[in-house]
Amino acid sequence: MASIARQSTLLRQSCLSAIRAPLVNRNAAGMSQMVAFHASAKKQILPPLPQTIQGTVNDPAPVPHTSPSHGSYHWSFERLVCVGLVPLTIAPFAAGSLHPVTDAALCSLLVLHSHIGFQASIIDYFPKQRVPKTRALCNWLLRLTTLTTAVGLYELETNDVGITEGLRRIWKA
């Protein structure tokens, strides 16, 4: 009878340890602590940045260097490109194929708009302090892709029917 009680106690302990194992994390000292998110494993893509403070608490925040190409002029230029795309996108389809210059302006603004958007994504998601080589690679890939797209659209405009007529043919196919 004692062996059956001992076996049931061991079985209960092994079952409880199997249930609690994902919930409890043991540190280097052997102390157990609860894990914050029980249902997911800890998978970090990049290690955390070093937790250091530059200077002292009494130092003022650094003021970035002023540059017209990265300040309010840059923001205004982005908005002008976005606003300029609206009539250039609607006009050829509403009034018919207007003029090759209008088509070329649409292609130019599309390339600029795409480049600015992807550049903002690279700046946001690849910080220079953490992954400088990856950011540089992404910037060069963006430049190469933008150049390839611009050359392709130029060839479409000069040697073929143009972007608006091409889209119209695809739409009616």
Side-chain angles (χ1 to χ4, degrees):
M1 191 70 159
S3 68
I4 295 175
R6 192 169 80 92
Q7 285 178 352
S8 67
T9 306
L10 288 174
L11 181 63
R12 188 175 342 134
Q13 287 176 350
S14 65
C15 289
L16 286 174
S17 66
I19 292 170
R20 289 184 185 157
L23 303 177
V24 177
N25 188 10
R26 301 217 183 265
N27 60 14
M31 303 283 292
S32 63
Q33 55 191 9
M34 291 297 284
V35 179
F37 296 100
H38 307 297
S40 63
K42 185 177 181 183
K43 295 179 182 176
Q44 290 182 341
I45 296 172
L46 293 173
L49 291 173
Q51 302 295 317
T52 59
I53 297 173
Q54 302 293 332
T56 65
V57 292
N58 293 329
D59 291 341
V63 177
H65 298 290
T66 57
S67 172
S69 63
H70 292 289
S72 62
Y73 294 128
H74 180 72
W75 186 87
S76 300
F77 179 72
E78 287 177 354
R79 300 295 84 77
L80 284 174
V81 168
C82 293
V83 169
L85 274 173
V86 174
L88 286 174
T89 304
I90 296 172
F93 299 107
S97 193
L98 298 174
H99 199 271
V101 174
T102 308
D103 221 21
L106 174 63
C107 289
S108 300
L109 286 182
L110 279 174
V111 170
L112 271 172
H113 180 73
S114 300
H115 182 84
I116 290 170
F118 282 114
Q119 186 180 34
S121 297
I122 291 170
I123 289 169
D124 287 345
Y125 290 110
F126 297 104
K128 195 182 286 187
Q129 295 83 10
R130 180 179 273 184
V131 284
K133 292 180 181 178
T134 305
R135 183 173 177 170
L137 175 70
C138 288
N139 279 329
W140 280 106
L141 284 174
L142 174 65
R143 291 176 188 132
L144 178 69
T145 307
T146 301
L147 181 65
T148 305
T149 305
V151 168
L153 285 174
Y154 175 77
E155 288 294 320
L156 180 69
E157 289 296 319
T158 57
N159 298 329
D160 208 351
V161 293
I163 191 167
T164 54
E165 185 61 32
L167 289 173
R168 183 181 320 236
R169 289 180 183 181
I170 290 171
W171 187 262
K172 290 184 178 180

